[in-house]
Every structure is written in structure tokens, then in C-alpha cells.
């Protein structure tokens, strides 16, 4: 599984919609709309433009953090960081994803009803400057203790993606690799090949 996490501020060429669509054609399986600075109205508008684009390709749209937007839009999924849920079950009819950073959070997130986990960060990344990466040991530890898909993220590219998959990850998630790419279709295609080579 190949997840794209959006960040319109990283775009160097094109716009959010064209980049996401190109990347989906290139092999993205799920899109997490993560534009945390947008108001409810602006996020809802962005999501409502994106949803029909993704529907054409049967790719689920997952809304990050804003549960009201996810519910209003009847989005396919909702994603939230473990720190933001305070051990409460999320009332949402759809795919539920939770970001985790250690084994304890992963086990708790599964018990709270998560359908998948985003685990990281695995490698050094500019998104988490100054924070030590967890490495593939995090993936191995979580996979040994949970029964839901584990998606790795953080500094993943076509060179290290096979190592992450070999460690047991069910997929990878990327942000800057595609959002800042001038050729999102090719970037997605390259990554997809890297994670399907067994």
C-alpha cells in the first residue's frame, strides 16, 4: 500500500489537485488530506474538490485531524495522531487511521479501533528535524504485536523502501517525496515499484 500525505506548501509546480491526481495515476492507493492550517470551510471545500477526483480511481480520501470535515463530506476515512485522541474511541463510520510513535501507542490504537497505523518516523527527515529516527526496529516491534496494517513513514524513498517492506511494513506513506516532485506520476510509480519488489 502506498499512501500520500498532502502538504500544499511543498508544491513547486502545479497545484494540489493536479499533483494528487498524477500521483494516483502513478500508483497511490490512499490519500490523507493533511492541511492542518485550513479553516473548516476551506478544508471542506478542498476536500469536496478532491473527493470526486479520487473517486474516479477508487482511491479513498482520508481527512486528517478534522473530524467535522470528515463527517460532513462523508469521507472514506479519518486520520488522527495518538496524542490527540486521549484514549477515547473515535465515532466515525469509515476507515480510521492513527499515527503512533512507539509500541505502547500502537497496541492502544489498535484497541481503540484503528483500521491501520502510521508508524514513524523511520528515517531522518526534514519534517522532523532534530528528532532521532526510530529505524526499522519500530516496524518489527509493532508488527509482532498488532493485527492491523502498519504503514511506515518518515524519510522513505525508493532506495530504503524495500528495507521497510522487508521489516514487515504493510506499506509506506510519503509527503515531500511526491508533494515537492515536479513529476508526481513518475515519483509515485518509482515508489510503487520499490515496495512491490519482493
Amino acid at each position: 500500500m502506498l499512501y500520500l500525505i498532502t502538504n500544499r506548501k511543498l508544491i513547486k509546480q502545479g497545484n494540489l489537485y493536479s499533483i494528487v491526481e498524477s500521483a494516483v495515476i502513478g500508483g497511490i492507493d490512499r490519500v490523507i488530506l493533511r492541511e492542518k492550517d485550513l479553516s473548516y470551510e476551506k478544508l471542506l471545500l478542498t476536500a469536496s474538490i478532491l473527493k470526486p477526483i479520487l473517486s474516479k480511481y477508487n482511491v479513498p480520501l482520508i481527512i486528517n485531524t478534522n473530524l467535522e470535515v470528515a463527517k460532513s463530506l462523508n469521507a472514506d476515512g479519518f486520520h488522527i495522531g495518538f496524542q490527540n485522541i486521549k484514549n477515547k474511541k473515535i465515532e466515525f463510520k469509515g476507515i480510521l487511521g492513527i499515527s503512533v510513535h512507539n509500541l505502547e501507542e500502537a497496541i492502544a490504537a489498535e484497541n481503540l479501533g484503528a483500521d491501520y497505523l502510521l508508524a514513524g518516523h523511520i528515517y531522518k527527515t526534514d519534517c522532523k528535524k532534530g528528532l532521532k529516527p526510530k529505524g526499522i526496529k519500530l516496524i518489527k516491534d509493532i508488527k509482532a504485536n498488532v493485527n492491523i496494517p502498519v504503514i511506515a513513514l518518515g524519510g522513505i524513498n525508493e532506495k530504503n523502501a524495500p528495507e521497510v517492506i522487508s521489516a514487515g511494513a504493510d506499506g509506506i506513506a510519503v509527503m515531500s517525496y511526491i508533494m515537492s516532485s515536479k513529476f508526481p506520476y513518475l515519483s509515485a510509480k518509482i515508489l510503487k515499484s520499490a515496495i512491490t519488489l519482493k
Side-chain angles (χ1 to χ4, degrees):
M1 290 286 272
L2 184 54
Y3 283 60
L4 170 61
I5 303 169
T6 74
N7 183 344
R8 70 193 191 288
K9 292 178 179 176
L10 296 174
I11 295 171
K12 292 176 181 165
Q13 199 171 292
N15 61 53
L16 178 70
Y17 311 109
S18 64
I19 285 171
V20 170
E21 184 165 19
S22 295
V24 162
I25 296 167
I28 292 293
D29 297 299
R30 286 181 174 182
V31 174
I32 299 175
L33 183 63
R34 186 185 187 273
E35 305 295 334
K36 288 185 171 182
D37 60 316
L38 291 182
S39 65
Y40 168 85
E41 289 80 13
K42 284 186 177 169
L43 186 63
L44 184 62
L45 176 63
T46 304
S48 64
I49 295 169
L50 202 50
K51 195 179 180 202
I53 294 171
L54 296 181
S55 294
K56 277 195 300 188
Y57 305 98
N58 291 316
V59 168
L61 173 62
I62 299 167
I63 305 295
N64 189 86
T65 306
N66 197 318
L67 186 58
E68 288 72 32
V69 168
K71 285 181 173 177
S72 299
L73 189 73
N74 198 18
D76 303 294
F78 175 65
H79 189 93
I80 192 162
F82 185 80
Q83 290 81 4
N84 299 328
I85 55 176
K86 300 184 177 89
N87 283 323
K88 284 184 186 164
K89 285 215 169 194
I90 304 283
E91 298 301 321
F92 180 74
K93 289 176 181 146
I95 303 161
L96 174 63
I98 299 177
S99 292
V100 298
H101 302 93
N102 57 52
L103 178 58
E104 293 73 27
E105 288 180 359
I107 292 167
E110 182 179 32
N111 290 333
L112 287 169
D115 295 300
Y116 71 89
L117 303 173
L118 268 193
H121 63 291
I122 306 303
Y123 301 106
K124 213 167 153 186
T125 171
D126 286 344
C127 299
K128 303 277 183 187
K129 266 191 176 150
L131 284 177
K132 193 180 172 199
K134 311 277 184 180
I136 57 169
K137 185 181 183 299
L138 178 67
I139 299 300
K140 290 178 177 175
D141 289 349
I142 292 174
K143 279 301 292 181
N145 290 279
V146 302
N147 298 303
I148 55 176
V150 177
I151 309 300
L153 84 159
I156 299 174
N157 56 43
E158 77 279 6
K159 293 184 183 80
N160 57 31
E163 180 184 38
V164 177
I165 300 300
S166 296
D170 298 283
I172 61 169
V174 293
M175 182 190 281
S176 55
Y177 188 96
I178 285 175
M179 294 308 296
S180 62
S181 172
K182 289 182 180 174
F183 306 103
Y185 166 79
L186 275 178
S187 297
K189 208 163 179 57
I190 289 164
L191 272 184
K192 190 75 168 196
S193 301
I195 65 170
T196 45
L197 287 175
K198 286 278 180 178

